[in-house]
C-alpha cells in the first residue's frame, strides 16, 4: 500500500476568543508549517460559557483565504442544514477562487456533515428533524452541490476536495464512498480498522477504489504511539482541536515534529 504523506490539520474552534486573536493564530499556524486550518460551523460555543464569544464559519473562511497563501482551509465541518445546497456550492467556489491568489489553484476543502447541535437549529429557525432525516437531506443535496460546481462561471480552480465527517456505518460511510475525497472520524485504531472494512464494502458497491479517499482522524488526547497505529492502518490527516481564549500552539508544534520525524 502506498502511504500518503502525513498532514496536520488544526481546528481553531471559533469560540471564547476575539477575532483578532484567531487571525493572529492563523498566521502563526501557516508560519509553523501546519497543512490545514479548520474552523467549525456553529453559532454558539459547544462547551464552556454557552453564550460566550463566537463567530460564523463561512465569512471567517473567506477572510482566512485572503489572509493566507499556502495553508489549506475549510470547516470541520459545515452543517448542511443551514444553507441552500446551491448557495453552499457558490460560496465554496468563491472561497476557492479567493484562496487561489498568486498560484491559480485554490486551497479550500469542503468539509461537511448533516448537523447535530440542536441549539443552533432552535435559535436560528432551522427544522431539526431526526438524525436520519438530516442524513437523508445531506445525501440528496451533495449531488446538487457537486452539479452546481460544473455550472458556475468561473468554475472552481480545481476539483474541490469533499471531506465528510462521521462514522455512521450504513448512511455516512456510504456517502463517503459516493462523494468524499477525505473521510474524518474520531476513531481509535480498533474502530478505524473495523470501519475501514465497512467503507471498503461501500466502495466496492459503487465501483470506487478506497485508496482514492484520504483517511483523517482527530488526535484529541492520543499519544504518538496511538497515532502510529492509526498511521499503519492508512490514516494520513491528523487533526488537532484548539479552543479560545488562548489557542495554545504547543501541541501543534509537538505534532508537527512527529509528522516531520515520521516522513
Amino acid at each position: 500500500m502506498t502511504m500518503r504523506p502525513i498532514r496536520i490539520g488544526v481546528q481553531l474552534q471559533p469560540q471564547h476568543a476575539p477575532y483578532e486573536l484567531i487571525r493572529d493564530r492563523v498566521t502563526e499556524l501557516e508560519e509553523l508549517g501546519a497543512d490545514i486550518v479548520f474552523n467549525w460551523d456553529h453559532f454558539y460555543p459547544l462547551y464552556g460559557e454557552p453564550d460566550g464569544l463566537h463567530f460564523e464559519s463561512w465569512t471567517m473562511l473567506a477572510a482566512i483565504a485572503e489572509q493566507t497563501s499556502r495553508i489549506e482551509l475549510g470547516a470541520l465541518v459545515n452543517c448542511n442544514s443551514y444553507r441552500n445546497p446551491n448557495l453552499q456550492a457558490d460560496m465554496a467556489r468563491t472561497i476557492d477562487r479567493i484562496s487561489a491568489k498568486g498560484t491559480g489553484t485554490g486551497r479550500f476543502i469542503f468539509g461537511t456533515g448533516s448537523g447535530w447541535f440542536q441549539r443552533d437549529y432552535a435559535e436560528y429557525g432551522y427544522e431539526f428533524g431526526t438524525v436520519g432525516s438530516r442524513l437523508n437531506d445531506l445525501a440528496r443535496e451533495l449531488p446538487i452541490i457537486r452539479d452546481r460546481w460544473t455550472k458556475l462561471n468561473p468554475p472552481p480552480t480545481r476539483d474541490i476536495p469533499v471531506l465528510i465527517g462521521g462514522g455512521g456505518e450504513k448512511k455516512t460511510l456510504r456517502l463517503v464512498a459516493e462523494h468524499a475525497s477525505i473521510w474524518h472520524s474520531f476513531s481509535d485504531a480498533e474502530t478505524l480498522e473495523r470501519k475501514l472494512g465497512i467503507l471498503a464494502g461501500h466502495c466496492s458497491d459503487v465501483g470506487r477504489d478506497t485508496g482514492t479517499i484520504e483517511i483523517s482522524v482527530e488526535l484529541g488526547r492520543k499519544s504518538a504511539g496511538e497515532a502510529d497505529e492509526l498511521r499503519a492502518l492508512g490514516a494520513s490527516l491528523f487533526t488537532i482541536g484548539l479552543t479560545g481564549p488562548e489557542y495554545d500552539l504547543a501541541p501543534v508544534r509537538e505534532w508537527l515534529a512527529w509528522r516531520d520525524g515520521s516522513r
Side-chain angles (χ1 to χ4, degrees), residues 169 172-178 180 182-183 192-206 208-210 213-215:
E169 297 175 1
T172 301
L173 290 181
R174 176 72 178 205
L175 290 176
V176 171
E178 292 176 338
I182 307 168
W183 169 50
L192 183 65
E193 186 171 23
R194 179 172 59 81
K195 289 186 183 290
L196 285 173
I198 295 167
L199 177 60
H202 287 303
C203 285
S204 178
D205 290 342
V206 301
R208 186 170 182 197
D209 178 2
T210 54
I213 301 171
E214 184 172 15
I215 306 304

